[in-house]
Amino acid sequence: MNCPLFVESNHTANYKAFRPDYPQELYKKILEFYFNTTNINLNDDDKKIPLALDVACGSGQATVDLSYYCHRVIGIDGSQNQLKNATLKQNIEYQCHNAENITFLPPNSIDLITVATALHWFNIQTFFEQVNRILKPNSGVLSIWSLGFPLLDNPKAIEVQHKFSHCDLDGYWSDKIQLLTDHYESILDTFPYQETRIKHVIEYEREMSILQFVNMIETWSACQTYRERHGQDKLKQLLKTLADNLAKCYTESSNDISSNKDGDAIYDKKMIVKWIIHLHLMKKQ
């Protein structure tokens, strides 16, 4: 992947710190599909995938998780700064490559290819051609998943987030985001290995403070575009307004948050954030 929205050093550090992880259930579904079973123990060392390739790995959120379930993982990303922030492990190898340029891998060499909420940034046809070249026949698995907009546990907070995402950031989203928001449904017919393709829908929750949530929001591509057009100070003010509005939703008082005697402590209030993952699995025949 070669997306300029995710390459600056400050942003990549925030990406590593604040992007959400993925639930174990997701990896369980991948292993069950690979081993053709419905009874996988994630701690079973005899049920590990030999070699996985995590494409557009960023700072390694999914790559590190995969390292527990695979003997070896290669994580690639088009941003060297992302890779500089990646977590190192003995069985992980990181390389700087775009999704469309993985010719460094020999044909029929990879057991599992994963794409975690990144396919929409690719030249998809070219990527799938590379997938077909490097996946092992009769066993190689392609796993693609999408993470939709977060869902909050407070009706007023839901309205605040919706306004921020669809009004304040209107005009700052790439057209490619539409593919993500519909969970790639509009392009499923372009996916390879159609005769084997299955889908799982996985819901999971995380407890986050308001500050942690807003820090995560700052890593969104639309926020990076907003910053490029208006500068860091304007983006910070926009995000502070979001934090203030969310804080009001989780407190009894509707007074201006800036006058709250606890100051920044108000942003430590906890919220339950839910995501819905659409996981697409397919096997090369």
Side-chain angles (χ1 to χ4, degrees), residues 5 14 16 49-50 65 83 87 100 103 106-107 115 119 137 140 167 185 200 207 213 248 264 266 270 273 285:
L5 294 170
N14 289 339
K16 168 68 178 294
I49 297 173
D65 289 341
L83 298 178
T87 300
E100 302 83 1
T103 55
V115 185
L119 182 70
C167 298
E185 291 291 333
H200 296 283
E207 184 181 71
F213 180 75
K248 290 176 183 178
D264 289 343
I266 196 70
K270 300 297 184 181
V273 185
Q285 299 296 290

Side-chain angles (χ1 to χ4, degrees), residues 97-160:
H97 295 281
N98 294 334
E100 302 83 1
N101 183 23
I102 44 181
T103 55
F104 71 98
L105 292 168
N108 306 322
S109 61
I110 303 297
D111 300 283
L112 169 67
I113 297 175
T114 58
V115 185
T117 317
L119 182 70
H120 48 290
W121 297 118
F122 300 173
N123 180 319
I124 295 173
Q125 180 179 352
T126 301
F127 171 66
F128 284 156
E129 290 171 358
Q130 288 293 311
V131 165
N132 193 54
R133 186 184 68 82
I134 64 176
L135 262 187
K136 288 183 179 179
N138 304 315
S139 62
V141 168
L142 173 62
S143 174
I144 296 170
W145 65 87
S146 61
L147 191 68
F149 281 111
L151 305 172
L152 303 183
D153 60 338
N154 179 299
K156 291 183 179 180
I158 292 172
E159 294 178 6
V160 167

Side-chain angles (χ1 to χ4, degrees), residues 248-266:
K248 290 176 183 178
C249 299
Y250 287 92
T251 57
E252 295 181 357
S253 173
S254 61
N255 294 331
D256 191 324
I257 294 300
S258 62
S259 65
N260 189 290
K261 64 181 180 180
D262 293 328
D264 289 343
I266 196 70

Side-chain angles (χ1 to χ4, degrees), residues 145-190:
W145 65 87
S146 61
L147 191 68
F149 281 111
L151 305 172
L152 303 183
D153 60 338
N154 179 299
K156 291 183 179 180
I158 292 172
E159 294 178 6
V160 167
Q161 182 200 317
H162 186 275
K163 177 183 179 298
F164 179 83
S165 303
H166 296 85
C167 298
D168 295 340
L169 294 182
D170 183 38
Y172 299 94
W173 293 103
S174 167
D175 292 341
K176 295 176 180 290
I177 291 297
Q178 181 58 42
L179 294 177
L180 179 63
T181 56
D182 76 359
H183 299 288
Y184 306 133
E185 291 291 333
S186 62
I187 59 169
L188 286 183
D189 60 348
T190 70

Side-chain angles (χ1 to χ4, degrees), residues 17-138:
F18 302 122
R19 279 280 170 145
D21 58 358
Y22 298 106
Q24 281 194 322
E25 183 182 354
L26 181 146
Y27 300 103
K28 186 173 186 290
K29 295 296 185 185
I30 293 173
L31 265 69
E32 288 176 344
F33 186 75
Y34 179 87
F35 289 107
N36 194 29
T37 180
T38 57
N39 188 26
I40 282 286
N41 179 354
L42 292 179
N43 297 317
D44 187 352
D45 286 340
D46 292 331
K47 290 292 187 181
K48 286 190 174 182
I49 297 173
L51 177 58
L53 175 71
D54 188 25
V55 183
C57 66
S59 48
Q61 281 80 1
T63 322
V64 173
D65 289 341
L66 287 166
S67 72
Y68 294 103
Y69 314 120
C70 303
H71 289 294
R72 182 177 166 224
V73 184
I74 301 172
I76 66 169
D77 198 273
S79 166
Q80 192 65 58
N81 279 331
Q82 285 279 19
L83 298 178
K84 287 179 180 177
N85 284 284
T87 300
L88 302 179
K89 285 193 65 181
Q90 188 173 8
N91 65 333
I92 297 177
E93 173 187 348
Y94 293 106
Q95 294 197 33
C96 190
H97 295 281
N98 294 334
E100 302 83 1
N101 183 23
I102 44 181
T103 55
F104 71 98
L105 292 168
N108 306 322
S109 61
I110 303 297
D111 300 283
L112 169 67
I113 297 175
T114 58
V115 185
T117 317
L119 182 70
H120 48 290
W121 297 118
F122 300 173
N123 180 319
I124 295 173
Q125 180 179 352
T126 301
F127 171 66
F128 284 156
E129 290 171 358
Q130 288 293 311
V131 165
N132 193 54
R133 186 184 68 82
I134 64 176
L135 262 187
K136 288 183 179 179
N138 304 315

